[in-house]
Amino acid sequence: MLYHVAMTVRLPADMDPAVAGEIKAREKAYSQALQQQGVWRHIWRVAGLYENVSIFDCRDNAHLHEVLTGLPLYPHMDIAVTPLCRHPSSVREDDR
């Protein structure tokens, strides 16, 4: 099942830069592993903001919840999820 996920990161202004750097490094490794597995299909930065728009391919809602709550930056994020389904006019057969 495909999901459109918009994420805004809001790190505390007083967060130690070393702690922030460590969290960001873990976040990058986790997200790249999910991309390599095909779970995190697309990711785009929102220009000028600490935000991204992503497409996830998860088994179900519970799987998406597990993936999102596993993000190291999750405690510092505002997340909006929109479930997606294939449009009947799409020429791409691989989107389900």
Side-chain angles (χ1 to χ4, degrees):
M1 189 166 180
L2 297 177
Y3 298 88
H4 170 278
V5 180
M7 295 178 249
T8 302
V9 178
R10 301 187 192 286
L11 292 177
D14 61 349
M15 180 178 274
D16 182 307
V19 171
E22 187 273 330
I23 294 171
K24 291 175 188 179
R26 287 189 296 120
E27 180 86 7
K28 183 176 183 177
Y30 181 71
S31 71
Q32 288 181 341
L34 289 169
Q35 290 174 65
Q36 291 167 347
Q37 296 166 23
V39 172
W40 199 321
R41 293 205 13 201
H42 301 279
I43 182 171
W44 295 275
R45 163 113 24 227
V46 177
L49 300 172
Y50 199 173
E51 296 182 12
N52 76 72
V53 174
S54 297
I55 302 296
F56 286 83
D57 189 356
C58 294
R59 292 183 303 275
D60 53 29
N61 293 343
H63 181 220
L64 178 66
H65 181 76
E66 176 186 320
V67 167
L68 295 178
T69 58
L71 291 165
L73 285 170
Y74 177 79
H76 309 289
M77 289 181 165
D78 295 330
I79 298 174
V81 175
T82 305
L84 301 172
C85 60
R86 187 174 185 279
H87 194 283
S89 297
S90 176
V91 297
R92 298 183 184 269
E93 294 298 326
D94 63 337
D95 284 339
R96 48 186 187 294

